[in-house]
Amino acid sequence: MVLATLGLAATAFIFFFPWLPAGYDIYVHLLWPQQVMVCLRQGQLPLWLPDLNAGFGSPGIRLYSPAGPFLAGVLGLALGDLGRSHRLLWLVASLGLFAVLRRWYPRLGVNRHLLWLASPLLPFILAYKAAFSELLALPLALWLMESALRQAKSWRTAALIWAVLWLTHAPTFLMTALLVGGIALTFSPPVAHAGRQLVPLGLGLSLVAWHWLPFLVEMGMVEFRTGFTEGRFAFAKNFLFSPEPNDPLAVSRLGPLAMAWALAALLGAKQDWRRSGLVVACIFLATPLSYPLWWALPPLAYLQFPWRFLTPASLLLPGLLSSLTRWQGKLALALFLLPHLWLPHPRWVSDPRLAGKETWMVLGDKIHAAVSGNPLLVDVPEHRLPTHHRLAEHLLAFRTNNLAAAPGPVAVHRWSPLVRLLEVEASNPGFVQLRLLAYPFWRVEVDGSTVMPRLRHGIVEVPISAGHHLLRVRWTGNPVTPWGWALGLVGLFGIFRGCPRSGKREWSAPPVPPAGSRATGAAPAARNGHSGAGGGTAPSNQAPR
């Protein structure tokens, strides 16, 4: 009855609640999927998002983890409303987390599983970033960390989950990879045990080489490093307890949360030292004490916000509570939930009800009216080209409706995400200026002959002679993409041919009951695990007989 009631409430929330969280990036997380919808409606892959940046477009979702925007766009087409698809994905993330918990904690009741969804950090993520992709990544990250902690023999499954996690949310992938690597090298010294965790990571990366290999090439074409390491995104200004925080509200609210969670983790140090140590390590990486490590390991800088490490801590803490005695569990539970008292909860803005039909002008007006987002600059800083600062002058030159400017009349026959067809009657030699950002993967043909466009002014400019001309501009894609697909095929071969078949799960040894635990629960604890905080039976750490 409880689950049925929750299901009905979730359905009503998805279809009849016309609001979205007012995170500062909500307009970006709305516009990426909307552009996916535009591309899919026209039967084209979202390799180039056509209506971002006031119609000048933007590189496709390769420059970000594509799974979230793609799923939201597909669901938005099915439901007819992008806001509904976002709310449905929140439900999908919750159900995914519930399924992972049933996999690793089968003996815990539904009320204990809800602890993971009661984390104070979840409303904070919605309130500050409204990043639905980050929520979708939570069950994947929890599965991988639990698999590493229990040394499960699930090579193929782990490799596939690593690949999906990269495509879903790259920052969560990076944090999870660092933590699982630490587990493999610290908690499992033998080479065989460490390889059992690290080899699936490598295989998972090979499966998504078609994404990250071109991504590495394209990083040099945009302001990627600047966008991730300077200004608001400089990691040194986003440590907890930082004396000069970039976001004082976030740092001041999350600092006490980290202290409360560190105390909760220390309560379980005797019963489950692995999870306890991992939670403490996450909190350490969020504080200025870990600055030398962030400086020495360049990939860490791309996380932007050190307090992101509180997210995996929020996934590990509820599992740690299941091994505590009753009084320890109650105290740890109170410390885990205490930050709800001071963390900001989501503010709501009206759902603009985006579909896949709006032009960039209507789209900008809707976004600005609903969430006060900037309808002209709608992509994140790290995706911008070095000439992005010239966008304002191009807007003045092209005005509102012009798609092209030429030394003569222009007729636009097709203007789709990946292909543009124009007819020009030039009165004298000159350049045809197109409403496209200057990206090097456009191929231009004039009357069937390939012509090298000029990109230096930040837009695509095609030289033509006087007379009648037919222009065809199409997106060719990154030339290293086929190498990524080839590496992905190698990874598939390694998973289905080279890896040993998955055997039974290999569980870690059950924790020893602490001294002073209840006498009535001593015998069951030795056989089936500890009694968790607040009653109930914790999961067995032994393989099922």
Side-chain angles (χ1 to χ4, degrees):
M1 288 293 293
V2 171
L3 291 177
T5 303
L6 290 176
L8 290 174
T11 303
F13 172 78
I14 291 168
F15 286 96
F16 304 111
F17 186 77
W19 302 93
L20 292 169
Y24 58 74
D25 278 344
I26 180 62
Y27 74 105
V28 176
H29 293 293
L30 283 171
L31 286 166
W32 280 329
Q34 195 276 341
Q35 293 290 279
V36 172
M37 295 168 66
V38 171
C39 295
L40 295 179
R41 284 185 74 252
Q42 299 187 21
Q44 300 192 46
L45 292 175
L47 303 175
W48 178 266
L49 306 182
D51 289 333
L52 295 185
N53 294 315
F56 284 89
S58 177
I61 52 179
R62 178 184 290 117
L63 278 175
Y64 206 73
S65 299
F70 188 84
L71 284 175
V74 171
L75 291 173
L77 283 177
L79 299 174
D81 180 0
L82 193 58
R84 289 178 179 176
S85 76
H86 275 56
R87 295 187 288 272
L88 178 59
L89 286 177
W90 300 342
L91 178 61
V92 169
S94 302
L95 293 176
L97 191 59
F98 186 81
V100 171
L101 296 174
R102 294 298 298 172
R103 164 71 167 80
W104 293 113
Y105 295 89
R107 295 175 182 269
L108 290 182
V110 173
N111 60 328
R112 298 297 304 279
H113 288 161
L114 294 178
L115 261 185
W116 274 265
L117 297 177
S119 169
L121 206 63
L122 294 183
F124 178 82
I125 291 173
L126 287 176
Y128 263 73
K129 294 183 289 183
F132 65 94
S133 295
E134 189 167 354
L135 297 179
L136 287 173
L138 296 182
L140 304 173
L142 178 61
W143 197 101
L144 291 167
M145 288 190 292
E146 286 294 337
S147 177
L149 285 167
R150 300 168 188 246
Q151 300 178 6
K153 297 179 180 178
S154 48
W155 290 61
R156 297 175 180 175
T157 305
L160 292 173
I161 292 178
W162 278 119
V164 175
L165 180 57
W166 168 263
L167 296 177
T168 303
H169 196 246
T172 302
F173 174 95
L174 179 56
M175 289 188 294
T176 307
L178 289 171
L179 295 173
V180 168
I183 294 171
L185 298 176
T186 305
F187 300 152
S188 306
V191 176
H193 292 308
R196 189 178 299 155
Q197 306 304 327
L198 298 181
V199 171
L201 172 58
L203 290 172
L205 277 175
S206 69
L207 293 178
V208 290
W210 59 268
H211 180 269
W212 61 259
L213 191 58
F215 170 76
L216 291 178
V217 174
E218 294 173 24
M219 280 173 58
M221 302 174 186
V222 296
E223 300 285 1
F224 194 87
R225 182 175 295 275
T226 300
F228 267 86
T229 58
E230 294 183 5
R232 181 167 65 92
F233 302 109
F235 70 86
K237 295 184 178 181
N238 291 292
F239 280 114
L240 298 179
F241 312 109
S242 173
E244 297 181 359
N246 199 6
D247 191 341
L249 179 61
V251 171
S252 63
R253 301 293 181 89
L254 290 176
L257 174 142
M259 292 190 295
W261 284 8
L263 291 175
L266 292 176
L267 285 174
K270 280 188 176 181
Q271 291 83 356
D272 195 343
W273 65 272
R274 293 183 175 185
R275 285 181 183 79
S276 177
L278 212 55
V279 171
V280 172
C282 289
I283 295 172
F284 169 78
L285 288 169
T287 65
L289 297 174
S290 63
Y291 179 82
L293 195 59
W294 284 73
W295 183 83
L297 298 176
L300 280 175
Y302 292 118
L303 288 175
Q304 303 169 314
F305 308 105
W307 45 258
R308 281 186 191 270
F309 275 100
L310 295 178
T311 303
S314 73
L315 297 175
L316 294 165
L317 264 177
L320 179 63
L321 303 186
S322 65
S323 64
L324 301 180
T325 60
R326 181 179 291 275
W327 73 267
Q328 288 178 321
K330 288 183 176 180
L331 179 56
L333 179 62
L335 291 171
F336 177 66
L337 298 177
L338 186 63
H340 273 298
L341 298 178
W342 65 79
L343 280 184
H345 286 74
R347 294 181 300 106
W348 301 95
V349 294
S350 60
D351 181 0
R353 298 185 182 277
L354 301 180
K357 302 177 181 179
E358 291 92 349
T359 64
W360 74 266
M361 295 166 286
V362 175
L363 193 63
D365 291 340
K366 280 190 172 184
I367 288 293
H368 187 66
V371 301
S372 300
N374 189 333
L376 303 182
L377 306 178
V378 293
D379 215 342
V380 292
E382 58 268 22
H383 294 191
R384 295 173 182 168
L385 298 164
T387 55
H388 196 274
H389 66 280
R390 303 191 65 174
L391 185 58
E393 64 184 78
H394 295 320
L395 287 174
L396 292 175
F398 281 87
R399 302 295 179 182
T400 304
N401 298 314
N402 291 343
L403 299 176
V410 179
V412 178
H413 297 302
R414 182 179 181 184
W415 196 268
S416 64
L418 302 181
V419 179
R420 270 79 165 165
L421 291 177
L422 305 94
E423 194 172 357
V424 180
E425 190 69 44
S427 57
N428 54 277
F431 288 90
V432 178
Q433 296 178 322
L434 304 176
R435 200 182 191 102
L436 290 175
L437 290 183
Y439 222 65
F441 301 136
W442 293 110
R443 180 177 178 181
V444 180
E445 295 178 358
V446 178
D447 300 327
S449 300
T450 301
V451 174
M452 184 65 65
R454 186 171 68 171
L455 307 175
R456 64 182 182 183
H457 291 155
I459 58 174
V460 177
E461 298 178 317
V462 183
I464 60 170
S465 59
H468 181 271
H469 301 285
L470 185 65
L471 275 67
R472 184 172 187 264
V473 184
R474 64 184 180 89
W475 179 262
T476 60
N478 195 308
V480 304
T481 300
W483 294 99
W485 284 111
L487 188 55
L489 291 176
V490 172
L492 278 177
F493 180 83
I495 288 176
F496 292 105
R497 301 289 294 180
C499 293
R501 294 185 178 275
S502 299
K504 292 184 178 180
R505 295 198 304 268
E506 189 175 289
W507 305 80
S508 58
V512 178
S517 59
R518 291 172 297 162
T520 56
R527 184 172 61 253
N528 293 326
H530 292 295
S531 294
T537 306
S540 170
N541 283 336
Q542 293 178 332
R545 298 182 183 275

